[in-house]
């Protein structure tokens, strides 16, 4: 079954040298510097079961912002509405270690993503980055550029990547290519950065 525009494990294998160079450049602070290298540092500051101000800094490092009114609702006025769902989402497990139902429509993760999108100024990209800040091993980041480059099934990116990484041989290929990064950075984040940097070079029609 084709999950993306191209075979993901094969892509990582074929582009191994470029991926390693991109990852070292991104996380190593080599010029030009990427503010996204601080995402993990900001994300681990707060309580994993509550959205906190450090999470806003984390997503800002990824070049998106949470509007003030949305931030006030998320952190103060309606915090329990969001935190109650967050607490239901697996915390320590990797994406490939949970069942498909944990990342499907109707799951706590799916419901939280939908709830975040009800906040003014929060679209699917920012909602996903907020969730990745709280569950970096479980929720993969997807933005418009990577979406266009990878072309996952609409609304099923989490499931498609879950299925891809659940195949141990394919996951091992990808993991081996990405070993140049500190283990504190999740495999999902390494995949995201590798694809994002490739997407930035991808010729537009």
């Amino acid at each position: 079954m084709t999950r993306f525009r191209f075979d993901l494990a094969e892509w990582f294998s074929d582009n191994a040298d470029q991926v390693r160079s991109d990852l070292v450049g991104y996380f190593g602070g080599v010029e030009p510097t990427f503010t996204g290298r601080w995402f993990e540092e900001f994300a681990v500051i707060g309580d994993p079961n509550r959205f906190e101000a450090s999470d806003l800094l984390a997503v800002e490092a990824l070049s998106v912002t949470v509007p003030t009114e949305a931030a006030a609702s998320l952190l103060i006025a309606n915090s329990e509405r969001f935190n109650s769902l967050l607490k239901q989402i697996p915390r320590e497990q990797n994406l490939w270690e949970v069942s498909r139902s944990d990342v499907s429509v109707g799951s706590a993760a799916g419901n939280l993503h939908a709830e975040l999108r009800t906040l003014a100024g929060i679209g699917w990209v920012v909602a996903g980055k907020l969730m990745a800040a709280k569950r970096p091993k479980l929720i993969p980041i997807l933005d418009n550029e990577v979406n266009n480059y990878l072309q996952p099934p609409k609304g099923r990116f989490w499931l498609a990547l879950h299925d891809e990484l659940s195949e141990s041989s394919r996951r091992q290929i990808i993991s081996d290519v990405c070993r140049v990064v500190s283990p504190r950075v999740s495999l999902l984040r390494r995949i995201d950065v590798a694809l994002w940097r490739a997407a930035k070079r991808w010729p537009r029609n």
Side-chain angles (χ1 to χ4, degrees):
M1 178 177 68
T2 301
R3 299 173 180 130
F4 304 110
R5 182 174 66 88
F6 47 77
D7 183 287
L8 196 60
E10 184 177 288
W11 183 90
F12 271 87
S13 180
D14 291 346
N15 295 278
D17 289 342
Q18 183 66 62
V19 167
R20 293 186 183 107
S21 175
D22 285 344
L23 291 176
V24 169
Y26 186 97
F27 289 104
V30 179
E31 291 291 340
T33 57
F34 295 93
T35 59
R37 73 188 191 281
W38 296 111
F39 174 77
E40 286 74 22
E41 305 296 337
F42 287 131
V44 299
I45 292 174
D47 183 335
N49 287 319
R50 296 188 63 83
F51 285 103
E52 298 184 349
S54 54
D55 301 311
L56 307 189
L57 289 173
V59 300
E60 188 173 330
L62 300 180
S63 303
V64 298
T65 58
V66 177
T68 300
E69 288 298 324
S73 181
L74 179 63
L75 304 182
I76 304 170
N78 299 297
S79 59
E80 286 311 308
R81 168 184 162 198
F82 301 101
N83 294 334
S84 62
L85 282 170
L86 179 60
K87 291 171 185 175
Q88 299 174 41
I89 301 173
R91 175 180 164 187
E92 296 298 335
Q93 291 171 284
N94 290 295
L95 175 61
W96 57 91
E97 294 172 330
V98 302
S99 69
R100 295 179 97 248
S101 61
D102 286 317
V103 288
S104 299
V105 173
S107 65
N111 291 340
L112 178 55
H113 193 264
E115 284 296 304
L116 289 169
R117 297 198 317 272
T118 67
L119 294 170
I122 302 298
W124 64 269
V125 172
V126 179
K129 290 181 177 182
L130 282 167
M131 292 185 64
K134 306 312 299 183
R135 298 291 184 269
K137 296 195 295 185
L138 181 70
I139 304 298
I141 293 173
L142 183 69
D143 65 9
N144 284 298
E145 289 186 309
V146 174
N147 186 61
N148 291 336
Y149 184 64
L150 196 57
Q151 296 177 18
K154 187 175 182 179
R156 294 171 61 85
F157 174 61
W158 295 352
L159 281 173
L161 193 56
H162 171 280
D163 294 345
E164 179 80 18
L165 297 177
S166 292
E167 297 181 27
S168 59
S169 60
R170 300 176 67 76
R171 183 175 72 249
Q172 191 64 52
I173 291 171
I174 297 171
S175 179
D176 286 346
V177 173
C178 297
R179 286 191 189 281
V180 292
V181 178
S182 166
R184 67 180 173 77
V185 179
S186 70
L187 179 59
L188 298 186
R189 180 81 171 106
R190 301 177 200 196
I191 292 171
D192 164 57
V193 170
L195 292 171
W196 178 77
R197 296 209 64 186
K200 296 289 283 186
R201 290 189 293 267
W202 191 38
R204 300 295 192 268
N205 293 324

